[in-house]
Amino acid sequence: TRVFQSSTRLVRLHLQRNAITELPLDVFVGLSALQELLLGNNHLQTIPVGVFRDTTQLKYIDLHGNRLMTLPSGSLNGLTQTLALYLHDNSLTHLGDRVFRDLRRSRVLRLQNNSLSGFVGTGVTEDVM
């Protein structure tokens, strides 16, 4: 499942409009230079904790139009360089405790058209919104 392991210089990865249903934990291993990840309009239901551990330079992540129902605590850990995260048009009902804590540099967080009922304990602050 380490499909991209030898792609160490890859900066952009566009995987939108496929039929991807899950992200194996080590799918992004070796992508330390990756800055843009587009996974919109797939069939993802969750983001595994630790999947982004090697992608510390990610600036733009598009996960819109999937089937995400929850973002577990820790699923976005390590995304300290991320400027924009697109999660709109999913089925999100639950956000894990402090799930957005590492998104300190983020300027865009799109969550519209989900089924969220609140943000208690998510780490969403005025700086992120």
Side-chain angles (χ1 to χ4, degrees), residues 6-27:
S6 61
S7 304
T8 56
R9 294 178 23 175
L10 192 66
V11 176
R12 292 185 183 94
L13 181 56
H14 295 200
L15 294 168
Q16 66 271 32
R17 296 191 186 278
N18 282 290
I20 300 169
T21 57
E22 66 180 319
L23 296 175
L25 189 56
D26 57 356
V27 69

Side-chain angles (χ1 to χ4, degrees), residues 1 4 26 30 41 59 68 84 88 100 129:
T1 56
F4 305 107
D26 57 356
N41 294 305
K59 292 183 178 17
L68 296 173
H88 58 286
F100 299 119
M129 294 301 274

Side-chain angles (χ1 to χ4, degrees), residues 4-5 7-8 10 13 27-34 54-56:
F4 305 107
Q5 188 171 8
S7 304
T8 56
L10 192 66
L13 181 56
V27 69
F28 301 126
V29 167
L31 294 180
S32 57
L34 192 65
D54 278 7
T55 57
T56 56

Side-chain angles (χ1 to χ4, degrees), residues 47-115:
I47 303 298
V49 173
V51 75
F52 295 119
R53 69 187 178 279
D54 278 7
T55 57
T56 56
Q57 297 304 309
L58 265 176
K59 292 183 178 17
Y60 303 97
I61 306 170
D62 185 355
L63 293 164
H64 91 279
N66 278 285
R67 298 175 181 168
L68 296 173
M69 297 189 308
T70 183
L71 280 181
S73 297
S75 59
L76 303 177
N77 281 4
L79 297 177
T80 58
Q81 301 302 310
T82 301
L83 301 173
L85 176 59
Y86 302 101
L87 291 164
H88 58 286
D89 299 324
N90 277 289
S91 301
L92 288 170
T93 59
H94 176 75
L95 300 173
D97 237 15
R98 300 195 39 77
V99 70
F100 299 119
R101 72 176 185 166
D102 284 353
L103 298 176
R104 291 181 202 96
R105 294 192 64 205
S106 287
R107 297 296 170 241
V108 178
L109 177 58
R110 292 188 61 187
L111 290 165
Q112 73 268 21
N113 201 23
N114 280 290
S115 298

